[in-house]
Amino acid sequence: MSVQLDFAALNTCLQDLNHLFADISRLTPESGYEEQIGGYGTVRVSTLDSGTLGAVLVAAKTIRLKDRRKDPKRLAFRLAPELKIWAGFRHPHVLPLMGYYLDNDYKIAVLISRYMIHGDLKEYIDQQKPLWDARLHLALADWIPYGEKKSEHSIIYALINCEPPSDTETLSFPAPDLKSLLGRCWNIQPLQRPSAFDCLRVVESALSTPRLAADVQRLSLIEELRALLDTTLIMEDVEELQRRAVACGLPSDNEQAIRLTELAERGRQWSKNAHMVLDSPVIALEDLNRLVAPPCSVPVFPSLLESLENARNRAREIEKQAKAILYPSVGRRTPIPEALRLVSTTQKDFLIPAIQILAEVAPKAADVDKTCFDIINNRYSPQPLHKPLFEELRDMRNTVQKKLWMFSIPSFDIVDQQLVQHDDWLEKLPWYRTPEPAMQGKLIVDDVVQNTRPEDDKPPSDPECTCICPLPVKVTVAKQADAVQCDHCGAKFHHKCIQGRSCPFCDHHHWNGSLNKPRNFEYIDLLPIARAAPDLTRNYSLAWKHMDIIITYVDRLTRAIDIFLAGVNEQNINPAPPHFIPQTRHFLRKLYKMQFSIKARADIPSYGLTLCHVHRLLANNTKPAQDASQKKKTQRRPKFIFTAEVMPLASDGSRCLCKGSHVGHRLITCNSCSYNFHGYCVRYNEANNPAPKPWRCPTCMIRKGKQYPQSAVRVRAVAEQELDVYVDTKACLENYSWQLIRQRLPLPTDYTIILELERFIGGSNQFPASSLASQPHTSAEPSTPVPREPSQISKPEAYPLSASVSGPTLQPPAASGASTGSSKVVMLS
């Protein structure tokens, strides 16, 4: 017949005891104890919460049923009555229930209580063999009424279940009835032994004796100390136990008395340390944490502990604020004054590690803020032994990014932004980070200052100072080889100054960008760079000072040149005043030393090109006229200047007909002009058609009036509009024509090189035969003057001028690089 199980009552019982539920994962079995197996369970000694401060040795009883096959849930009903009864016990001599465990499937049930180290009463008497005074205390204990009802003599038997007291043992029993009671306990006849009620009656009468009462109190205190000294006590409890020990005459060498004394000493030491911490002017958070959480074996005063906790709560709140500043959330930065206020107010009362870190970094942030504020307001004065300012600012940026990123420093943000602008500004400088020695900023400034001094605007008074340097050229018979002379203007130069180049006063290639110079930038480009400089650069950068010196001094020089050119335009230069040529050369000498191009505006020629043109005109107008009887009637052949010759060198060093569009092909060098050409462009291929040695380019062959052997060559003027009209170069050369002779030709039927004519310098014959009626195509540029040895110059020769510069108007020639014409290689099948 099955029994109905009331699960509702079971769940109600378990819910009432839910506060005692303990997971068995908190139990750690102890290996030094044996399992005790009984009829309805197994007891195992374990440690609850091992490894923590609250670890305690417990006995875990696992309940089991003999037969659970019919209904496994009966285990829960077996656990519930025992659990309910045990949880209801409240007595100092009854072990309390510490917890229980019941899994969801009702398969495992465990009861947990504190483990009794000395066993039960019988084991205690057998192992410890207490004196009869102690046994009497056990007999007088108030748990006698809790004895087993089935055998009223069981407790008495437990007390006397040893040999009787020896004759030498002195008993402290003042009551004769108590002694006779004990004597009856050893009676052979069980019926003559005293009952529990007789023992209680005799014991109650014995308690009226003071000495016995003191002994009982002492023994009771010892047992109480044994139970309490392993628990957490406060100092009031410890002091009360000490007063009771003194009252009952507990010996000082007693084990429990010694433990009580040690406990009181630890409590007094804790109290002393707590008072020292609270009375100190600055309280360390570390000390508060140590005192607020003492070990379980240290008794404390609750009021003093509360004061410590209040102080620690204040310190922790401050620590929380400091950590919020030191380790802020994303996008949050703290103002420096707020951090400094927190540091100043906290350091008066507490010593907190986070505040110490804040006290170290906040003043650094304040110094950064002050330094940047002075820099912004141009009040910063660098120290003599410090690094340059911009190095310091970059170090400051690294420091702020790594250590001071949690602070809001508005002045630093402004300076850092200007530092970025300054670095970008430096990258725009033509001389910044260039390997060319002549492009060093200090050297450029020195040259500008040297050549723009106001007191040096006038040319040298020595008429022999005609070189590009300010030193006179002394030509003697013994030192004729030390100087060269221009065949156009007659200027003499030192060999080391001219270095085999053309006359810089007459040759416009020195000023139109055709010749490569180390300082290949223009003055006009410096002006927008200077305007874009941030305030940080203007106030503290050496590069800005160099830039400002260059702009200021060059601007003063250009004003002086403008005044001179205005005077030249206002006067008739045919013939020119004698001081014009030295003054023009002196200004050109200054510009030549500075080496970079100087313009007033981007849409007009440079000052060097304008002065060069003026110098050519002045030199032509000041040449002495020859006597007609002595003038030779010589024929002068025309000259051809092609577009490919006036273009800048390509990246591979070539000046080819393709203008650098075929970079990467093999180069061939002309033996006449020394320019490099691509073999592909001049119809030579190394693989199957190598160039002869010596080899001359198509332009040199055309100038000589010869046929280029590798390909047909035609010449077309840049300004020519008709596609079938070409220049008859052979007719121009044979007739010494002063104008172009053109002809109409059919389309090429074979590979043909077409050269574009950039400028034409006419010959001496003004009436050549022409196949086409046309206007003269002449250029404003005469041929490049070639310096010669002074010993080879008998007297200045007449230099022919083109028609476009025959009048008094002084307009500078256009730069050769402005032409849109180009040399082309046309290959037709």
Side-chain angles (χ1 to χ4, degrees):
M1 182 175 178
S2 61
V3 180
Q4 291 287 34
L5 302 179
D6 189 355
F7 285 99
L10 174 64
N11 292 332
T12 302
C13 177
L14 295 178
Q15 288 177 3
D16 294 340
L17 300 175
N18 190 41
H19 62 283
L20 294 175
F21 183 82
D23 197 332
I24 58 175
S25 61
R26 297 168 57 189
L27 297 175
T28 303
E30 294 292 334
S31 59
Y33 299 88
E34 296 181 357
E35 277 188 351
Q36 301 295 328
I37 302 176
Y40 291 97
T42 301
V43 179
R44 174 179 296 174
V45 179
S46 305
T47 301
L48 182 64
D49 297 333
S50 177
T52 64
L53 294 177
V56 62
L57 197 64
V58 298
K61 178 181 178 182
T62 303
I63 301 176
R64 69 173 184 271
L65 296 178
K66 292 182 179 180
D67 187 5
R68 298 174 54 190
R69 292 175 295 179
K70 295 182 178 179
D71 194 346
K73 296 183 179 179
R74 294 181 63 85
L75 178 63
F77 289 90
R78 171 69 179 84
L79 171 69
E82 186 172 355
L83 184 63
K84 186 174 182 180
I85 293 172
W86 196 354
F89 274 114
R90 295 292 186 274
H91 195 275
H93 297 294
V94 177
L95 287 175
L97 177 65
M98 297 183 65
Y100 77 95
Y101 174 76
L102 180 63
D103 67 338
N104 295 332
D105 297 332
Y106 303 103
K107 294 182 179 180
I108 301 175
V110 182
L111 296 173
I112 305 171
S113 66
R114 185 181 293 273
Y115 177 66
M116 294 186 295
I117 299 176
H118 301 295
D120 57 11
L121 181 60
K122 182 177 182 303
E123 292 175 352
Y124 174 76
I125 293 175
D126 290 341
Q127 295 174 5
Q128 303 296 328
K129 298 185 183 303
L131 298 177
W132 281 96
D133 283 347
R135 298 185 194 185
L136 179 61
H137 165 66
L138 294 174
L140 300 176
D142 55 359
W143 49 259
I144 288 180
Y146 283 82
E148 298 181 9
K149 303 302 181 181
K150 295 181 180 179
S151 176
E152 60 183 12
H153 305 287
S154 59
I155 296 177
I156 300 299
Y157 291 155
L159 291 175
I160 63 176
N161 191 17
C162 294
E163 69 279 0
S166 63
D167 296 337
T168 59
E169 183 175 1
T170 303
L171 300 177
S172 59
F173 301 156
D177 294 339
L178 192 56
K179 292 182 179 181
S180 61
L181 174 65
L182 292 175
R184 291 171 54 193
C185 290
W186 281 282
N187 198 306
I188 298 176
Q189 298 297 330
L191 296 177
Q192 295 183 6
R193 295 171 185 169
S195 65
F197 296 104
D198 294 337
C199 292
L200 287 175
R201 201 163 42 247
V202 173
V203 167
E204 288 176 358
S205 63
L207 286 175
S208 61
T209 305
R211 181 179 176 184
L212 182 59
D215 292 339
V216 172
Q217 292 177 4
R218 184 168 56 254
L219 294 173
S220 177
L221 179 60
I222 291 173
E223 291 299 324
E224 187 175 352
L225 289 175
R226 184 179 290 113
L228 293 177
L229 291 182
D230 292 332
T231 61
T232 302
L233 300 175
I234 62 175
M235 275 301 294
E236 284 84 351
D237 296 338
V238 173
E239 291 175 350
E240 177 63 26
L241 291 174
Q242 282 187 316
R243 285 193 293 270
R244 289 175 57 188
V246 173
C248 68
L250 182 65
S252 59
D253 58 350
N254 183 270
E255 178 186 359
Q256 304 303 326
I258 294 174
R259 293 181 62 191
L260 181 62
T261 303
E262 294 175 351
L263 191 65
E265 182 62 27
R266 288 195 291 268
R268 283 191 289 270
Q269 185 63 38
W270 176 88
S271 177
K272 178 181 177 181
N273 294 337
H275 282 293
M276 289 178 59
V277 169
L278 292 176
D279 294 340
S280 61
V282 179
I283 303 175
L285 178 59
E286 182 181 0
D287 295 337
L288 291 174
N289 290 330
R290 177 172 48 83
L291 292 172
V292 166
C296 298
S297 59
V298 178
V300 298
F301 288 102
S303 59
L304 190 57
L305 182 62
E306 184 179 0
S307 300
L308 291 172
E309 288 179 345
N310 291 337
R312 186 178 70 162
N313 291 337
R314 288 176 52 203
R316 280 186 171 180
E317 183 62 29
I318 296 174
E319 182 185 40
K320 182 179 178 182
Q321 298 178 18
K323 288 184 177 180
I325 295 176
L326 292 174
Y327 315 106
S329 57
V330 178
R332 182 184 181 276
R333 295 195 299 173
T334 305
I336 298 175
E338 180 180 340
L340 292 176
R341 279 196 303 270
L342 180 63
V343 170
S344 61
T345 56
T346 303
Q347 287 182 332
K348 299 176 182 178
D349 301 324
F350 295 102
L351 183 63
I352 304 173
I355 291 295
Q356 289 179 302
I357 298 175
L358 193 61
E360 181 181 353
V361 298
K364 294 181 180 179
D367 291 341
V368 170
D369 187 35
K370 181 180 182 303
T371 302
C372 294
F373 183 80
D374 292 341
I375 290 174
I376 293 173
N377 294 277
N378 199 15
R379 296 185 305 194
Y380 177 75
S381 299
Q383 300 299 324
L385 299 180
H386 285 192
K387 295 180 181 180
L389 174 63
F390 288 94
E391 291 186 21
E392 284 192 3
L393 290 179
R394 292 182 179 92
D395 294 343
M396 183 186 297
R397 174 194 290 168
N398 295 334
T399 301
V400 171
Q401 291 176 351
K402 294 179 180 179
K403 299 180 179 180
L404 308 178
W405 55 273
M406 69 289 297
F407 296 107
S408 174
I409 315 177
S411 59
F412 168 77
D413 295 338
I414 297 174
V415 172
D416 186 57
Q417 182 180 3
Q418 292 193 9
L419 181 61
V420 174
Q421 297 174 357
H422 169 76
D423 293 338
D424 295 339
W425 182 82
L426 287 179
E427 295 290 343
K428 299 176 182 178
L429 296 180
W431 54 83
Y432 184 66
R433 290 182 180 176
T434 176
E436 177 63 42
M439 283 292 286
Q440 302 300 320
K442 183 66 171 59
L443 296 179
I444 297 175
V445 170
D446 292 342
D447 288 344
V448 169
V449 174
Q450 181 70 23
N451 293 281
T452 56
R453 292 180 298 185
E455 62 273 13
D456 195 29
D457 282 349
K458 296 298 181 182
S461 58
D462 192 344
E464 295 185 348
C465 292
T466 61
C467 184
I468 200 66
C469 71
L471 300 178
V473 182
K474 302 292 185 180
V475 181
T476 62
V477 177
K479 296 184 177 181
Q480 285 185 356
D482 292 342
V484 293
Q485 186 174 15
C486 177
D487 60 358
H488 176 244
C489 66
K492 299 173 184 162
F493 301 90
H494 298 105
H495 259 302
K496 61 181 180 180
C497 297
I498 204 68
Q499 292 181 353
R501 294 190 297 267
S502 58
C503 174
F505 299 142
C506 301
D507 187 4
H508 66 280
H509 291 94
H510 288 275
W511 309 102
N512 64 1
S514 298
L515 299 179
N516 287 332
K517 294 184 179 181
R519 298 173 184 171
N520 55 353
F521 63 91
E522 295 188 1
Y523 165 77
I524 196 68
D525 295 334
L526 301 181
L527 301 179
I529 297 177
R531 287 192 294 268
D535 293 339
L536 181 66
T537 304
R538 296 173 183 269
N539 296 332
Y540 301 101
S541 174
L542 180 62
W544 163 259
K545 293 180 181 178
H546 291 167
M547 172 80 77
D548 187 52
I549 291 174
I550 292 172
I551 293 176
T552 303
Y553 281 58
V554 170
D555 181 68
R556 194 213 62 79
L557 178 63
T558 56
R559 289 199 300 271
I561 295 176
D562 288 336
I563 294 173
F564 169 72
L565 292 177
V568 171
N569 283 327
E570 291 176 358
Q571 299 188 28
N572 185 4
I573 61 172
N574 194 8
H579 69 278
F580 273 16
I581 290 182
Q583 184 66 61
T584 305
R585 290 176 178 173
H586 188 58
F587 283 133
L588 285 172
R589 186 180 296 120
K590 290 174 175 289
L591 298 177
Y592 187 84
K593 290 295 183 182
M594 288 187 286
Q595 297 185 20
F596 56 88
S597 176
I598 300 176
K599 296 181 181 179
R601 294 197 315 270
D603 57 342
I604 63 175
S606 66
Y607 282 98
L609 193 62
T610 302
L611 290 172
C612 177
H613 177 65
V614 170
H615 181 269
R616 292 174 67 92
L617 293 179
L618 294 175
N620 283 332
N621 293 334
T622 55
K623 289 181 180 179
Q626 293 182 343
D627 189 358
S629 62
Q630 300 177 353
K631 187 181 302 183
K632 294 183 179 180
K633 296 183 179 180
T634 58
Q635 296 288 345
R636 185 178 67 254
R637 304 182 74 178
K639 295 182 180 180
F640 302 98
I641 300 176
F642 300 99
T643 301
E645 296 177 297
V646 299
M647 298 302 294
L649 292 177
S651 59
D652 58 352
S654 65
R655 182 163 279 161
C656 186
L657 310 178
C658 65
K659 297 194 301 180
S661 60
H662 293 157
V663 173
H665 288 269
R666 182 178 60 89
L667 297 177
I668 306 175
T669 304
C670 177
N671 286 78
S672 294
C673 63
S674 299
Y675 291 153
N676 293 325
F677 293 81
H678 300 118
Y680 173 82
C681 299
V682 295
R683 306 304 302 155
Y684 279 103
N685 190 338
E686 184 66 27
N688 50 23
N689 187 19
K693 295 183 180 180
W695 173 80
R696 290 178 175 82
C697 65
T699 58
C700 292
M701 298 293 286
I702 290 296
R703 286 196 185 95
K704 298 295 184 181
K706 298 180 180 180
Q707 178 66 34
Y708 183 62
Q710 189 63 19
S711 171
V713 180
R714 294 184 182 183
V715 177
R716 182 197 301 277
V718 172
E720 188 62 59
Q721 301 294 328
E722 301 182 42
L723 297 179
D724 59 343
V725 176
Y726 298 91
V727 177
D728 191 349
T729 56
K730 186 175 181 180
C732 291
L733 292 172
E734 291 176 352
N735 294 292
Y736 300 94
S737 174
W738 75 287
Q739 65 181 7
L740 288 177
I741 300 176
R742 297 176 293 174
Q743 59 181 342
R744 295 186 184 274
L745 297 176
L747 293 176
T749 59
D750 200 355
Y751 295 111
T752 302
I753 297 176
I754 298 179
L755 302 177
E756 290 192 356
L757 182 64
E758 182 73 18
R759 293 191 296 276
F760 172 75
I761 301 175
S764 58
N765 186 8
Q766 298 187 5
F767 304 98
S770 176
S771 60
L772 290 175
S774 63
Q775 295 297 327
H777 288 267
T778 59
S779 171
E781 296 292 341
S783 63
T784 301
V786 181
R788 296 180 298 171
E789 299 292 339
S791 59
Q792 300 175 358
I793 303 176
S794 58
K795 59 181 180 179
E797 299 178 357
Y799 193 88
L801 285 177
S802 61
S804 61
V805 294
S806 58
T809 305
L810 299 178
Q811 295 295 332
S816 60
S819 172
T820 58
S822 61
S823 301
K824 297 181 181 178
V825 180
V826 182
M827 294 176 288
L828 301 177
S829 56

